[in-house]
Amino acid sequence: MPSEPQRSRAVFSTEDFSLMKEAVGAYVRQIADDPKSVKFSNLYHRLGRVG
């Protein structure tokens, strides 16, 4: 009897995304003068679309 693969469980909950967005937002403000802040700013906006 062939069995279907089990569905993957979500790694993060919806609440996790809002917490991560808050943490990334605080970090972006902290490193505003650093060139990598652009990458973290983009991550912040992507997290906003998810959660």
Side-chain angles (χ1 to χ4, degrees), residues 27 31 34-41:
Y27 187 63
I31 63 164
D34 190 319
K36 70 180 177 182
S37 68
V38 173
K39 292 183 179 187
F40 280 97
S41 180

Side-chain angles (χ1 to χ4, degrees), residues 1-50:
M1 192 184 299
S3 63
E4 293 184 23
Q6 288 187 335
R7 186 174 168 194
S8 300
R9 291 183 180 209
V11 176
F12 298 111
S13 73
T14 305
E15 184 179 348
D16 293 338
F17 287 106
S18 63
L19 292 172
M20 286 188 284
K21 184 178 178 188
E22 184 178 339
V24 171
Y27 187 63
V28 166
R29 289 187 295 278
Q30 202 173 24
I31 63 164
D33 296 331
D34 190 319
K36 70 180 177 182
S37 68
V38 173
K39 292 183 179 187
F40 280 97
S41 180
N42 291 337
L43 174 60
Y44 176 83
H45 290 290
R46 287 193 304 272
L47 286 170
R49 287 185 289 186
V50 174

